[in-house]
Amino acid sequence: MKNKSIVFKLTFWVSLILTAAVAITFLAVRLSCGAVLHGTIKSYVITTVEENAEKISIVSAPRDTAANVYLPLDEGYLEIDLDFMDVTNGVYTALYSAQGALLYGEDPLAALSPPELTATRIVEKKVNGVSYELFEMKIDTDAQQLWIRGAAPESESAQRLKQITGISLFMLPALIVLAVLSGVALIHNLLSPLSDVERAAGQISRGEDLGRRINSRRGDEIGRLSDSLDRMLDRLERSFETERRFTSDASHELRTPTSVILAQADYTLEKPRTDGEYREALEVIKKQGERMSALIDDMLSYTRLEQREKGENMQPLDLSSLCEEICSQCAIIGEKGITLECDVQPGVFVNGDRLMLSRLLTNLISNAYRYGKQDGHIRVRLEGRELSVADDGIGIAESELEKIFDRFYRSDSARSGGGAGLGLSIVKKIAELHGAEVSVKSAVGEGSIFTVKFPPL
Ligand code: ADP
């Protein structure tokens, strides 16, 4: 049972429960039908006797022989309406004298004769193995005392119960079969999308098609589950793709300095060189080594940032003093005669990570130096929740503005700049982790301004 399909299990249990429910209902119906029929037969007997009693009277002489039957008594006549029912609805009725002599009507209880004539309430009597519901009623007239008796054989109610049982025994199994069949069809219909999910998951896990989706288009729970799985697969596929691109970009980026180092070494070792040539070769190798080391540092930082959750290890920190600190460290660089100006509003606090925010600002400032013009200016500004770094350097073409935050992206004009193209991806990632937004405005030849907007505390 454990390894059976859900459809099988549901069908099995639904059939079992339905059969049990139908069996219990059948028993209950049979029992209550028995009781109701019994009660009905009893009240039939009583009403028939009472109705017939009204159709009898004692008269001194026959009046209307067409509508009545007249039986002579000691004094006068017994007038019996022709409507007097001997046998109706299985109830036999008969009229007796006070002494118990049968005067009129059918008497299936002749064996009991002379009648006891005491049963003023309904009683059960057994005659020749057949049970009868019996009711007797005294009719007091001035002239004479009479008894009227009603009796219904039990076979009457048993007969009806048998009919009901017969119909039920035929109908109920048919009903079970019908209910089980429609239940199975319904279960099958409802659960069939699960098979699609299973098939799609199987194809994906066998590596046949990572782009495969369930596409359920249903509005119910299974549809929502499939949509969630599809969304999860989208994310997984995207992150696989990103990882793949990252690895390929990283190896591509490392290949250039490695090739330069190897080529330089091969060239230098071809023949004996002068001290000056060796020194020159080593300078080239050192520069490429430094580039590789910076690239590896950036890649490690980026990977670590990728693994962090938004808001993780954040605490309120004084962004104003952090900016002041970084600015004074960076101002020492003094590359290309560029001056760094710092305009910081004091007392600005954000929820953040000190190390990450230092990295964010350092990256923006070092880009401003790298892409700044000779004797240019850099302006770091912190006002309210906005931190910006502006320069008057080479600027960025409109078509590139969207791409500069991509990993390993470098504009053609920046290729020779020495950066690996990870600086702004790191800035963007750090901003995301702080719930902040980075934006850039730039004009070629005029300069750029990068702005980071922090969320309220
Ligand atoms: P890189 O290591 O090349 O600087 P970044 O991710 O920091 O990588 O920057 C990506 C690209 O964005 C750079 O190659 C450059 O073209 C452009 N860029 C970044 N900052 C500036 C800036 N302040 N002025 C002009 N261009 C910039």
Side-chain angles (χ1 to χ4, degrees), residues 49 52-53 56 84 93-95 135-137 139 146-149:
V49 167
N52 278 345
I56 297 159
F84 186 98
T93 328
L95 192 66
F135 181 68
E136 292 167 351
M137 190 173 153
I139 306 174
L146 295 169
W147 284 86
I148 181 161
R149 168 196 272 178

Side-chain angles (χ1 to χ4, degrees), residues 298 363-372 389-397 400-401 403-415 417-427 440-443 447-450:
D298 278 355
N363 279 10
L364 289 178
I365 296 176
S366 54
N367 273 355
Y369 271 112
R370 190 178 294 153
Y371 306 109
V389 178
D391 64 64
D392 51 2
I394 61 169
I396 306 159
E400 293 190 324
L401 281 178
K403 304 178 202 153
I404 55 170
F405 292 98
D406 291 350
R407 290 180 313 190
F408 298 111
Y409 181 80
R410 279 174 295 169
S411 66
D412 287 338
S413 53
R415 293 255 152 216
L422 275 177
L424 285 181
S425 329
I426 292 176
V427 168
V440 58
K441 274 190 197 148
S442 186
S448 318
I449 173 160
F450 287 84

Side-chain angles (χ1 to χ4, degrees), residues 197-208:
V197 176
E198 191 193 0
R199 248 195 316 279
Q203 278 183 1
I204 294 163
S205 68
R206 282 192 298 275
E208 284 169 18

Side-chain angles (χ1 to χ4, degrees), residues 139-365:
I139 306 174
D140 257 329
T141 63
D142 298 339
Q144 191 150 1
Q145 244 189 21
L146 295 169
W147 284 86
I148 181 161
R149 168 196 272 178
E154 198 206 20
S155 59
E156 186 64 24
S157 60
Q159 189 66 27
R160 290 185 186 194
L161 205 58
K162 228 164 138 186
Q163 278 173 3
I164 292 175
T165 312
I167 294 172
S168 306
L169 282 179
F170 168 75
M171 290 294 287
L172 294 181
L175 211 72
I176 294 178
V177 171
L178 200 76
V180 167
L181 284 182
S182 42
V184 169
L186 191 72
I187 292 167
H188 204 266
N189 185 29
L190 284 176
L191 294 184
S192 67
L194 276 183
S195 311
D196 296 343
V197 176
E198 191 193 0
R199 248 195 316 279
Q203 278 183 1
I204 294 163
S205 68
R206 282 192 298 275
E208 284 169 18
D209 184 6
L210 195 63
R212 172 92 159 79
R213 297 292 176 269
I214 302 156
N215 288 332
S216 135
R217 284 195 207 92
R218 293 169 66 109
D220 57 11
E221 289 87 340
I222 297 178
R224 286 197 289 279
L225 172 73
S226 310
D227 290 348
S228 305
L229 281 174
D230 279 350
R231 279 198 297 278
M232 190 183 83
L233 288 170
D234 280 344
R235 272 200 66 185
L236 278 177
E237 197 186 6
R238 267 203 308 277
S239 72
F240 278 145
E241 180 54 25
T242 323
E243 285 316 305
R244 202 190 51 73
R245 253 188 26 225
F246 185 78
T247 322
S248 112
D249 288 348
S251 21
H252 183 79
E253 290 300 321
L254 284 168
R255 196 179 301 139
T256 319
T258 317
S259 316
V260 174
I261 290 173
L262 289 175
Q264 186 67 45
D266 280 346
Y267 170 76
T268 316
L269 290 172
E270 262 174 17
K271 56 181 186 183
R273 305 276 178 191
T274 62
D275 280 358
E277 283 172 330
Y278 281 126
R279 172 169 288 278
E280 211 175 291
L282 282 174
E283 289 289 352
V284 172
I285 290 173
K286 183 177 173 236
K287 200 169 167 212
Q288 293 303 324
E290 281 169 357
R291 199 174 153 191
M292 281 171 81
S293 159
L295 176 60
I296 291 168
D297 274 354
D298 278 355
M299 287 195 316
L300 278 177
S301 314
Y302 188 81
T303 319
R304 274 192 215 114
L305 287 173
E306 282 271 88
Q307 285 158 0
R308 285 187 69 156
E309 292 287 322
K310 189 177 169 187
E312 189 186 317
N313 287 341
M314 304 278 173
Q315 47 200 28
L317 74 90
D318 185 349
L319 188 60
S320 308
S321 60
L322 182 74
C323 288
E324 297 275 11
E325 200 180 299
I326 305 277
C327 279
S328 56
Q329 283 167 14
C330 291
I332 308 167
I333 304 173
E335 246 176 53
K336 302 183 202 166
I338 295 174
T339 46
L340 179 75
E341 195 187 304
C342 209
D343 178 7
V344 170
Q345 177 190 332
V348 176
F349 279 77
V350 292
N351 220 8
D353 179 289
R354 194 178 176 78
L355 254 153
M356 283 203 265
L357 290 177
S358 312
R359 182 77 193 253
L360 176 143
L361 189 53
T362 317
N363 279 10
L364 289 178
I365 296 176

